[in-house]
Amino acid sequence: MADGPTITTIAERAGVSIASVSRVLNGLPTRQETVRKVMAAADELGYVRNAVARSLKSRRTHQVAFAMADVGNPAYLAMLREIQPVLKAAGYRLVLHSTDAVVADEIDVLHSLGERYVDGLIMSPLRVTEQHLEMLAAARAPVVIIGSVPEGTRADNVRADSRTGVRLAIDHLYALGRRRIGMINGPLDTVPGAARGAAYREALADLGLPYDEDLVRIGDFYRAEGGRAVAELLDRVPDVDALMCANDLIALGALDVLRAAGKRVPADVAVVGMDDTDLAAASWPALTSVSLGSAERGKAAAELLLDRLQGGDREPRVVTVPPRLVVRASTAGTAGAGTVHDDAGRTERKEGGA
Amino acid sequence: MADGPTITTIAERAGVSIASVSRVLNGLPTRQETVRKVMAAADELGYVRNAVARSLKSRRTHQVAFAMADVGNPAYLAMLREIQPVLKAAGYRLVLHSTDAVVADEIDVLHSLGERYVDGLIMSPLRVTEQHLEMLAAARAPVVIIGSVPEGTRADNVRADSRTGVRLAIDHLYALGRRRIGMINGPLDTVPGAARGAAYREALADLGLPYDEDLVRIGDFYRAEGGRAVAELLDRVPDVDALMCANDLIALGALDVLRAAGKRVPADVAVVGMDDTDLAAASWPALTSVSLGSAERGKAAAELLLDRLQGGDREPRVVTVPPRLVVRASTAGTAGAGTVHDDAGRTERKEGGA
């Protein structure tokens, strides 16, 4: 035992085969009794089995990181729910970062890839800066970006298509006969705010509807402020007949204010949210919402990363997940009392993708 | 360069000081230009800076794991939201496991502590078995359990108090004059189902109300089945005047069915949910719900673990987080149209703790 305990000495002490010791130490399925004997022998001999030492040999950590902007945001949580099981099934542990969408934090995460504590990274930045691109070019491990990146970026990329999403919603409202369709947006200096605002304007133009500034109000992405923006819009355009809201929280604020104003939803005003969070089905009337496919994007990102980890070098790939409109009572249902929604409370009617 | 690149050879190649190289390689704040030079030189020289090699020296991984039962469950996500920033602030990375509440998966996670890939673990098992206790006794790293554990368990422990939580709700309904208070529960062979059912029975007894089997219906913990259980209860006891629901999803199902039956909430039937998820404030009428302090439990667990990692040996500690009743329109509000709820839609009135 000059060199300290080995699997041979542990096998002797435990009274089991060397193969059994190897199985236990590598975490392979083994009878509980054998596990106990081997662990006890290893303890007695002072054996330190160490993932760290093992990964020094293989240069693999069997860990993958997911850097999400905000651990409290349902859209990212929907991604996480899909990423976690895909990685687990492939034998990877998940390291979770929350960057609060602070660029310096995101750069730190990319920088830390040099420490080799993970084999790869999935990242969801709100904005991709020059600094991101530099760090991506120098990254020491494969990175998949969820979000839009400039042409030629050296990273696999999974995109949503909020423009088509807004378009699906406006077309739906138009098909229902609505012609005074308002937009309640978040700040225009955010990526989602700018994209959704532009998409609204385009969709109206394509339908031959005039763009009316009084029909557009800007708040933030939360319920109370969204409600206040709706109240303002109602003051200016009392006969507004539909509201496109830039996310579900804003749409909940819209329902609050419309209820207070004695407006029926959808008879007087139809309401559409965006992101299709769990809140959409919980509200009453249940909220029609544009799904940007958070779950699908998470799954696609995990699969791209695994493919890269297993397959090695190839050209970067771009996957675009098409949006879909989940139609519920706030636009098309029977809004009065009397309807028991089935299952998760959804009266789902899916309309085509991109 | 017989021994490969070192920080000295990197400093020479990059044309910067050794101190600068050290700062960059240790991830300390450094001018972006310097970072770029050092990374380029390190790359050219084939230097592999390795968290793995570093942690071999210090025997610290600076990682902590959180094993949650279900990555999709809002109660665990509320814990995660608090655990993540506490650990991040202390310089720890978070490794996330989702065990689906499968005992074998939880045992695997405890077993894998022997691999030293984390410095500590926070775990939230639905049930603590003999096997858990054995593995906890042998654990190679500190463990904090969120949930109830037997007396004498060698682990720090953070507990909720659902019994007091149910009690707060029943007392609230009683104070509102309700006397035919129904209970819609999940399966009685789950820990939460059993605890909540027993607490309901006790609370009635203490108030001198009779226990009536027709007032108790068992479904699962989801909306549709919860709704069906409510419909059954309404058939048997048409004049039920309050419903205690074992979680918020069941309560949403109750609102669906009561609306369909033409019952006013809360005028005819007051409804209380449990867990105080985001869904409670999103529903209409907004749902009174018992908070079991998921966020607070997550925070307490992270702090206990950090204390243990920094302070070393001490006796195991038990922290019990008191429940609170968050009163909204489904029991005490003005249920008619006309109320704009403020902020997150909450008309919050907090009632005492344990």
Side-chain angles (χ1 to χ4, degrees), chain A residues 90-296:
Chain A
Y92 286 90
R93 290 188 181 115
L94 180 65
V95 176
L96 193 71
H97 296 287
S98 187
T99 61
D100 301 320
V102 172
V103 171
D105 274 27
E106 294 173 352
I107 299 300
D108 272 356
V109 169
L110 287 166
H111 185 197
S112 70
L113 291 176
E115 296 178 28
R116 310 275 158 112
Y117 71 97
V118 286
D119 299 340
L121 168 69
I122 298 169
M123 172 171 263
S124 184
L126 271 196
R127 241 163 2 109
V128 174
T129 65
E130 274 302 312
Q131 236 187 325
H132 283 95
L133 294 177
E134 268 179 43
M135 293 303 294
L136 281 172
R140 305 280 192 106
V143 179
V144 178
I145 299 285
I146 302 179
S148 288
V149 297
E151 212 54 47
T153 301
R154 301 296 304 169
D156 290 329
N157 178 219
V158 180
R159 301 179 183 191
D161 179 0
S162 66
R163 173 169 300 192
T164 302
V166 170
R167 181 55 179 274
L168 288 171
I170 303 287
D171 285 354
H172 170 65
L173 294 167
Y174 188 89
L176 294 170
R178 309 298 164 126
R179 295 296 180 270
R180 284 173 302 285
I181 303 170
M183 167 85 180
I184 310 295
N185 204 353
L188 296 178
D189 60 355
T190 62
V191 173
R196 290 162 200 197
Y200 164 79
R201 201 167 183 144
E202 273 180 29
L204 290 189
D206 288 347
L207 291 167
L209 292 177
Y211 179 84
D212 176 354
E213 284 193 353
D214 282 342
L215 277 170
V216 179
R217 294 292 101 193
I218 312 294
D220 56 18
F221 283 108
Y222 296 94
R223 181 169 178 168
E225 185 59 28
R228 273 188 281 275
V230 172
E232 228 181 273
L233 192 151
L234 279 178
D235 265 355
R236 289 166 186 248
V237 192
D239 62 346
V240 60
D241 59 16
L243 290 173
M244 169 77 226
C245 301
N247 75 8
D248 286 348
L249 285 174
I250 295 174
L252 290 180
L255 294 181
D256 294 335
V257 169
L258 291 168
R259 191 178 288 130
K263 298 276 192 186
R264 291 164 304 160
V265 174
D268 300 322
V269 183
V271 177
V272 181
M274 199 150 192
D275 287 339
D276 193 33
T277 61
D278 290 346
L279 303 179
S283 82
W284 193 81
L287 201 59
T288 294
S289 187
V290 177
S291 166
L292 295 175
S294 300
E296 293 83 350

Side-chain angles (χ1 to χ4, degrees), chain A residues 80-89 94, chain B residues 71 96-98:
Chain A
L80 175 63
R81 277 184 221 176
E82 297 294 320
I83 290 172
Q84 198 275 336
V86 171
L87 295 177
K88 182 180 180 182
L94 180 65
Chain B
V71 76
L96 193 71
H97 296 286
S98 186

Side-chain angles (χ1 to χ4, degrees), chain A residues 1 5-6 9-11 13-14 21 24-25 35-49, chain B residues 111 113-116 134-141:
Chain A
M1 297 227 303
T6 64
T9 58
I10 294 170
R13 171 74 68 121
V21 175
V24 172
L25 296 183
V35 172
R36 207 170 303 125
K37 280 185 192 162
V38 170
M39 299 292 275
D43 264 345
E44 285 162 32
L45 294 168
Y47 177 86
V48 177
R49 175 154 167 287
Chain B
H111 184 199
L113 291 177
E115 296 179 28
R116 311 272 158 114
E134 267 180 44
M135 293 302 295
L136 280 172
R140 305 279 192 107

Side-chain angles (χ1 to χ4, degrees), chain B residues 142-165:
Chain B
V143 180
V144 177
I145 299 284
I146 302 179
S148 287
V149 298
E151 211 53 47
T153 301
R154 299 299 302 170
D156 289 329
N157 177 219
V158 180
R159 303 180 182 190
D161 179 359
S162 65
R163 173 169 300 192
T164 302

Side-chain angles (χ1 to χ4, degrees), chain A residues 24-27 32 35-36 39 42-43 47-56 59 61 63 71-74 77 80-82 84-85 88 93-100 105 107-108 111-112 114-118 131 134-135 138 140 223-224 228 252 256-257 259-260 278-279 281-284 336-345, chain B residues 24-28 32 35-36 39 42-43 47-56 59 61 63 71-74 77 80-82 84-85 88 93-100 105 107 111-112 114-118 131 134-135 138 140 223-224 228 252 256-257 259-260 278-279 281-284 336-345:
Chain A
V24 172
L25 296 183
N26 285 303
Q32 203 52 36
V35 172
R36 207 170 303 125
M39 299 292 275
D43 264 345
Y47 177 86
V48 177
R49 175 154 167 287
N50 201 318
V52 160
R54 195 179 38 154
S55 80
L56 253 189
R59 292 248 177 269
T61 62
Q63 294 191 159
V71 77
N73 183 317
L77 290 171
L80 175 63
R81 277 184 221 176
E82 297 294 320
Q84 198 275 336
K88 182 180 180 182
R93 290 188 181 115
L94 180 65
V95 176
L96 193 71
H97 296 287
S98 187
T99 61
D100 301 320
D105 274 27
I107 299 300
D108 272 356
H111 185 197
S112 70
E115 296 178 28
R116 310 275 158 112
Y117 71 97
V118 286
Q131 236 187 325
E134 268 179 43
M135 293 303 294
R140 305 280 192 106
R223 181 169 178 168
R228 273 188 281 275
L252 290 180
D256 294 335
V257 169
R259 191 178 288 130
D278 290 346
L279 303 179
S283 82
W284 193 81
T339 315
V340 179
H341 301 307
D342 113 51
D343 255 46
Chain B
V24 172
L25 297 182
N26 285 302
L28 295 171
Q32 203 50 38
V35 172
R36 205 170 304 123
M39 297 293 274
D43 263 345
Y47 176 86
V48 177
R49 176 155 166 285
N50 201 317
V52 160
R54 197 179 36 155
S55 81
L56 251 189
R59 292 248 176 268
T61 62
Q63 294 192 158
V71 76
N73 184 317
L77 290 171
L80 175 62
R81 279 183 218 176
E82 297 294 321
Q84 197 275 335
K88 182 180 179 182
R93 290 187 180 116
L94 179 65
V95 175
L96 193 71
H97 296 286
S98 186
T99 60
D100 302 320
D105 274 29
I107 298 299
H111 184 199
S112 70
E115 296 179 28
R116 311 272 158 114
Y117 71 98
V118 286
Q131 237 186 325
E134 267 180 44
M135 293 302 295
R140 305 279 192 107
R223 181 169 178 168
R228 274 189 280 276
L252 289 180
D256 294 335
V257 169
R259 191 178 287 129
D278 289 347
L279 303 179
S283 82
W284 193 81
T339 314
V340 179
H341 301 307
D342 110 51
D343 255 47

